[in-house]
Structures are given as C-alpha cells and as structure tokens.
Amino acid sequence: MPLKIQQQPSLPELDQLETLIALGGKHLHSQVLTHVSTNNASYPVYSVSMGSQAPNAPVIAFVGGIHGVERIGTQVILALFESLIRRLKWDQSLHQELSHVKLLFLPLMNPIGMLNNSRANGNGVDLMRNAPVDAVGRVPWLVGGQRISNILPWYRGKKGQAMQPESRVLVEHIRQQLLTAPFSIALDCHSGFGFNNQIWFPYAKSKQPIPHLAEIFKLRKMLIETYPHQDYVFEPQARNYMTHGDLWDYLYDQSLTLNTTFLPLTLEMGSWTWIKKNPLQIFQSTGIFHPIQPHRIKRVLRQHHVLMEFLIKVTGSYTHWLPQLNKERNHADATSLWYTE
C-alpha cells in the first residue's frame, strides 16, 4: 500500500500573507528570515517590504504575532497590508508617498505559537521576555519574566542562553533595516491588557525617561491634534508594569550608539472590552486575547487603520516635525506628564 503523506496543519494567517505576497507581485520585496518547526512541520517567518529601497529613506515596520495567542495583531497588520496592495493598482498618491518611505511588514513572528494557540514559541519561551535585558527594580512576579520553567507563562529562557530563533531574526532584521535608517518607527501589535487601547513606548525595564522623550511627546501631540476623537492612552510601558527581556528596550538601547532616530511603539489593544461584552468567550482558547465575534473583529480591523496610516505619513515627513527649537520644552512637558508623581 502506498504511504499516506500527512499534510502539515495550515495556519490561516500565514496562508493569507502568502496570498497577499503573490497579489502584490513586483511592488513587494519578500524574504524568509527563518523557518521554525514542530511535529515534522515547518513554517516560514516572512519579512515583506514595499516603497523606497534607498538607504537614506525613513522606515516604518509593522510587527505582529510575537505572542501566538494574540492573533488579532497579525490580522490588523494584514488588513493594512491588503489595503495598500489593492490601492497600488489605482492610487497614484500612494505611489508618490512610497517613493520616499519604506514600509516593512513582519506580521507573523511566532507561527508555532499561533498554531498552538500559545503565547510562547514552540520551545515554551515568551519572545517578549527573551532579550538579554534585566529590569532595574522590582517586576511583577511571573508576568515580568521568569526563568523557573517553560511550563509556566512568561518564561525568559535559561540565563546565558542564546535568544530564540524568532527573537534573534527579528532583532537582526530591525538592526539592518531600521537602525541604519535616519529615522524609523516600529509598531508592534498586541492585545490583552486593559479596557483601553494603549500605545506604549520604552522603557519596560525602567521608569527612567528615554533620550527621545521630546520626539515621542511631539508624536503624541500630533496624533491628538490630527485625530482629536481617537481614544489611545499614550504612555511609557513602565507606568503599567515593568518586565525583563523586552526586545524593544534591547533594540532601542542599541540605536542610541548610532546617529539615527528609532522610535519603537507597542499597540496594546484592550481586549477586556471584548470580554465584558461577551463574558463566555473566556472559556475559548483565544477568548482573552481575541474579539471572537465576527462583527467585533471587523470593527477592530477598521479601528486601528487610521493610526497605522498616520504613522506612515509621520515617518515619511519626519524632517518636517522632529522637534528642534522646542526640544527642551517638549522634554519638560513630557516629563511633567509621564514622570512626575
């Protein structure tokens, strides 16, 4: 009898991404950063870019799926990605915009975690606790990152051990693509904390202000002035809780040795609202981190599109808004807002 070939389990978000890469064709540059495997099945980790390939072009990266159970983050990025690809067929203003800014998409950084409905990767490691960074001060037990066991959540990995493949390729790719650009923004899309949609910036390891505080404050001010009806809570992550091993802390500190500006942001979609409206979804495997109901999924996909388009325009126009003359005033206002008890 002929042997049956067992087909590896499919991942809808990965299938959608590969379909969109084919649809984008010549307008895209795609590469596989690594493959990750589980149970004799292998899955690629993609990076896809569009827009300017000039070395001096500003860059914005959209990152998702670092926590596999938070699949709405990946879906939000894919919704933006598809919209841009379809607009390329007719929108000449988009072509002009992309001629001087580079867009980078890394929507599914942890395919094994997503396949398993797990926060961690296939080795049980939480990728957002995996960088060689220790917090200054006390962090919440377990949640802040632990080295006890990969059976427990928020596992950092063994001390002194190399970063996980997914963390390593993300760090290397951001170094190559963003930290070498004169200006760059990274938006990392997550879900699952609180009732409000939040935008966090470093540090997670410390309650000390970052050197680019004036730039972050100006960015927040422009968002509020441009979209006065938006509801994002924009603040340093450490105001909520501190963690060890944050990848963006690690990359941001490396950027400080360079003559460039790198602003890493985390979009934390408040999933507690979804649970409040549909309490029974907590009994589903992804219920704490995903809208579940189709109409709520569509609403979330629409809701953050404006923010992401705003950040694209901010990146392309960075020379027109980065604070120069009023930098000290912006820094003082930011310190008063975020770092004064």
Side-chain angles (χ1 to χ4, degrees), residues 184-209:
S184 60
I185 289 177
L187 183 70
D188 184 16
C189 298
H190 291 258
S191 67
F193 184 85
F195 288 102
N196 299 311
N197 292 314
Q198 303 185 62
I199 302 173
W200 291 343
F201 60 89
Y203 288 116
K205 66 174 184 176
S206 166
K207 294 186 178 181
Q208 295 300 311

Side-chain angles (χ1 to χ4, degrees), residues 14 17-18 21 30-34 44-48 105-109:
L14 178 58
L17 173 59
E18 291 180 334
I21 291 173
S30 66
Q31 66 180 110
V32 175
L33 301 182
T34 190
V45 175
Y46 279 102
S47 168
V48 189
F105 297 88
L106 300 110
L108 184 46
M109 288 305 306

Side-chain angles (χ1 to χ4, degrees), residues 183-185 212-222 261 263 310-326 330:
F183 178 87
S184 60
I185 289 177
H212 289 93
L213 194 61
E215 290 82 354
I216 289 287
F217 184 81
K218 183 66 179 292
L219 182 62
R220 172 186 176 271
K221 182 179 180 182
M222 289 193 302
T261 300
L263 306 179
F310 167 77
L311 291 176
I312 292 172
K313 294 184 182 301
V314 160
T315 302
S317 305
Y318 78 97
T319 57
H320 298 282
W321 66 266
L322 278 183
Q324 299 294 337
L325 296 177
N326 296 323
N330 279 282

Side-chain angles (χ1 to χ4, degrees), residues 8 113 277 326:
Q8 71 178 34
K277 293 179 178 179
N326 296 323

Side-chain angles (χ1 to χ4, degrees), residues 20-255:
L20 292 175
I21 291 173
L23 180 65
K26 65 180 182 180
H27 298 294
L28 308 178
H29 296 79
S30 66
Q31 66 180 110
V32 175
L33 301 182
T34 190
H35 283 84
V36 288
S37 302
T38 181
N39 298 328
N40 298 318
S42 179
Y43 297 86
V45 175
Y46 279 102
S47 168
V48 189
S49 69
M50 65 170 64
S52 176
Q53 298 299 309
N56 62 342
V59 184
I60 179 167
F62 298 99
V63 183
I66 286 182
H67 293 142
V69 75
E70 299 173 15
R71 57 198 323 144
I72 189 63
T74 293
Q75 293 174 8
V76 164
I77 295 173
L78 291 177
L80 172 70
F81 187 42
E82 179 172 6
S83 174
L84 292 169
I85 289 172
R86 296 194 181 278
R87 283 173 55 196
L88 284 171
K89 296 180 180 180
W90 57 267
D91 190 346
Q92 288 303 306
S93 67
L94 177 59
H95 283 274
Q96 293 173 6
E97 184 176 23
L98 292 178
S99 67
H100 60 269
V101 64
K102 180 176 183 178
L103 278 56
L104 191 67
F105 297 88
L106 300 110
L108 184 46
M109 288 305 306
N110 183 10
I112 301 302
M114 192 167 290
L115 186 72
N116 295 336
N117 285 323
S118 168
R119 178 183 175 92
N121 74 346
N123 296 322
V125 176
D126 186 329
L127 302 178
M128 281 310 298
R129 304 291 186 273
N130 191 222
V133 176
D134 292 325
V136 180
R138 297 182 62 181
V139 302
W141 186 67
L142 292 183
V143 174
Q146 53 86 17
R147 298 195 190 275
I148 302 169
S149 170
N150 63 358
I151 297 175
L152 298 172
W154 305 291
Y155 180 59
R156 298 182 62 189
K158 293 182 179 178
K159 188 172 184 178
Q161 192 177 56
M163 283 192 291
Q164 294 294 296
E166 302 92 337
S167 306
R168 177 178 52 78
V169 296
L170 175 61
V171 166
E172 290 177 354
H173 200 57
I174 295 297
R175 281 176 183 158
Q176 295 168 5
Q177 299 294 320
L178 274 72
L179 301 196
T180 57
F183 178 87
S184 60
I185 289 177
L187 183 70
D188 184 16
C189 298
H190 291 258
S191 67
F193 184 85
F195 288 102
N196 299 311
N197 292 314
Q198 303 185 62
I199 302 173
W200 291 343
F201 60 89
Y203 288 116
K205 66 174 184 176
S206 166
K207 294 186 178 181
Q208 295 300 311
I210 62 172
H212 289 93
L213 194 61
E215 290 82 354
I216 289 287
F217 184 81
K218 183 66 179 292
L219 182 62
R220 172 186 176 271
K221 182 179 180 182
M222 289 193 302
L223 176 62
I224 293 172
E225 291 177 344
T226 307
Y227 301 104
H229 304 297
Q230 56 79 34
D231 65 350
Y232 295 102
V233 177
F234 203 134
E235 61 187 5
Q237 180 176 337
R239 280 179 67 109
N240 296 276
Y241 59 91
M242 290 169 52
T243 73
H244 300 298
D246 187 272
L247 293 173
W248 300 114
D249 282 6
Y250 183 58
L251 281 161
Y252 177 73
D253 280 345
Q254 291 187 15
S255 77

